[in-house]
Amino acid sequence: MVLITAAALLAPLLVRPLTRLLRLPGATGMLVRANTAASLRRTAAVAAPVLITVALAGSVLGSAMTVSQSKAAEAREHTRADLVVTGEDLRGLAARPVPGATLSASASTAVFVREEGTALIRSQARAVDDARTLAAVERLPVVAGDLRDLDDRSIVVNEEWEQHTVGATVRMWLGDGRPVSLRIAAVLAVGTGNNGAYVTAANAPTAPVDRIDVRLAPGADRAAVTAALRGTGGTVRSTDQWLAATHPRTSPQTRLGLIVVLGIALVYTALALANTLLMAGSVRSAELNALRLAGATRPQVLGVVAGETLFAVGLGAVLGMAVTAVNLAGLGAALATLSAPVTVTVQWPVVGATAGACAVVAVAAAMAPKAVRHG
């Protein structure tokens, strides 16, 4: 928002250089460019609200979708599994070997740690049966230590923890409330926030196994393994199907809320454009009459007015997209520093519809005084 506001305030300074860079064909194009450069206040007054609205549409929706896509890409990168079995309690399946497959069972739990002396922080965690099997099935972003060193007296944390030095001992409370002191065996990158802690099943004895990641051995019969897993009552899906059903995404409610906010901004932009152009049109009679006296036809005069308006709207849209690019580039850089995959997404249909709506309102408001006067 600070960047969008700053760019809108600097619009009068940015309009002139952009106008000089653009060349429009024909006599009408020359007049449009000259009038735009000569009337910087009017041009900036049209471009600024368009800039704000386009930048909001691109930045707000783009940021939400970029984070969601990056989370989904991160989830795909962190697994080597071919199949995923989910259910309420899969402990029986986890204890039964399946020929041709490696099974890594885990349960959802939590750990609590006191940081900065007073704050009790809750961290999501997965309780696993065997660390070596986990390392074979998952591709976790380990930045220090070794995932295979996880045992009943240790824990895997991420860099977001206040204490994240391999070998250090951290006092904490397990999900069932037991106080323990565990040694840090490995440290994961922060990522987009999904890299939680890992403990062994002994440190979460009451947590039911709710997920089993399955990696097929070379040459294993996928259909036979799938059939064997389905006979246990769990839901068996391919990794892609499981990720599609569970990976983070922007919810419809969030998208609707963002679109409502953009709709309100668009209404205010329409009012600002109509007010500016209607007032400007009422004082341009002498200028437009001079064009008629110089030999311009009425369609040509209207073409100049429409061209100036579209030119100003276009400048605002270009500046808005530039602000969006800077915003999303900053977000991408932030994700990269967290060792998360960067998947920048721009909602082009929404951005295009926003710019188009601004253009329609602006041209209608600019042409209205001329249509009435010559009607």
Side-chain angles (χ1 to χ4, degrees), residues 126-131 150-154 198-205:
R126 301 293 301 180
V128 298
D129 287 338
D130 182 71
L150 177 66
D151 56 28
D152 294 345
R153 296 180 300 278
S154 62
Y198 285 83
V199 296
T200 61
N203 288 312

Side-chain angles (χ1 to χ4, degrees), residues 8-374:
L9 292 175
L10 294 174
L13 299 178
L14 300 173
V15 165
R16 189 185 294 274
L18 286 176
T19 303
R20 290 175 178 174
L21 290 175
L22 299 176
R23 293 290 186 272
L24 299 177
T28 300
M30 181 185 66
L31 284 173
V32 167
R33 181 171 174 271
N35 287 342
T36 300
S39 305
L40 285 180
R41 290 184 179 180
R42 183 177 70 237
T43 304
V46 173
V50 176
L51 182 159
I52 293 172
T53 308
V54 171
L56 277 175
S59 299
V60 174
L61 285 176
S63 297
M65 295 300 295
T66 295
V67 172
S68 296
Q69 293 297 326
S70 294
K71 287 184 176 181
E74 183 181 53
R76 288 187 177 90
E77 288 183 358
H78 289 179
T79 182
R80 294 190 180 99
D82 299 295
L83 301 169
V84 177
V85 185
T86 55
E88 294 183 359
D89 191 353
L90 303 173
R91 199 178 299 272
L93 172 59
R96 190 182 71 180
V98 176
T102 300
L103 278 62
S104 176
S106 62
S108 178
T109 184
V111 294
F112 301 84
V113 62
R114 181 179 287 119
E115 296 187 356
E116 299 179 355
T118 57
L120 186 64
I121 306 299
R122 181 183 188 274
S123 296
Q124 287 294 118
R126 301 293 301 180
V128 298
D129 287 338
D130 182 71
R132 294 186 177 275
T133 304
L134 174 67
V137 175
E138 299 290 337
R139 192 185 296 111
L140 298 179
V142 178
V143 296
D146 192 333
L147 192 64
R148 293 170 295 183
D149 292 338
L150 177 66
D151 56 28
D152 294 345
R153 296 180 300 278
S154 62
I155 186 173
V156 175
V157 303
N158 63 50
E159 292 178 306
E160 196 172 17
W161 283 48
E162 182 182 31
Q163 176 58 266
H164 55 268
T165 303
V166 173
T169 299
V170 181
R171 182 168 178 76
M172 65 190 68
W173 291 264
L174 299 176
D176 57 8
R178 286 183 295 154
V180 294
S181 294
L182 299 178
R183 174 182 53 84
I184 296 177
V187 180
L188 307 179
V190 176
T192 58
N194 292 328
N195 299 330
Y198 285 83
V199 296
T200 61
N203 288 312
T206 60
V209 174
D210 57 5
R211 193 179 95 203
I212 298 178
D213 297 309
V214 182
R215 188 177 184 187
L216 301 177
D221 188 341
R222 186 187 184 98
V225 173
T226 302
L229 294 172
R230 281 181 177 157
T232 63
T235 301
V236 183
R237 289 173 287 192
S238 68
T239 302
D240 289 339
Q241 291 172 335
W242 175 72
L243 288 171
T246 61
H247 76 260
R249 66 183 68 189
T250 304
S251 67
Q253 293 82 2
T254 300
R255 288 179 58 87
L256 179 60
L258 294 176
I259 290 175
V260 169
V261 171
L262 293 176
I264 295 172
L266 186 58
V267 170
Y268 279 101
T269 298
L271 293 174
L273 290 174
N275 183 58
T276 298
L277 291 168
L278 286 172
M279 289 192 300
S282 64
V283 297
R284 297 190 65 188
S285 300
E287 175 187 341
L288 299 178
N289 287 334
L291 285 177
R292 294 294 301 272
L293 293 174
T297 64
R298 181 171 178 271
Q300 288 175 327
V301 172
L302 294 177
V304 169
V305 173
E308 290 177 21
T309 305
L310 290 175
F311 193 78
V313 171
L315 289 176
V318 169
L319 292 173
M321 287 306 303
V323 172
T324 298
V326 174
N327 280 330
L328 295 183
L331 177 60
L335 289 170
T337 61
L338 297 175
S339 302
V342 180
T343 309
V344 176
T345 304
V346 180
Q347 295 297 295
W348 293 111
V350 177
V351 173
T354 300
C358 291
V360 170
V361 171
V363 171
M367 301 291 284
K370 289 78 185 174
V372 172
R373 187 176 299 113
H374 298 284

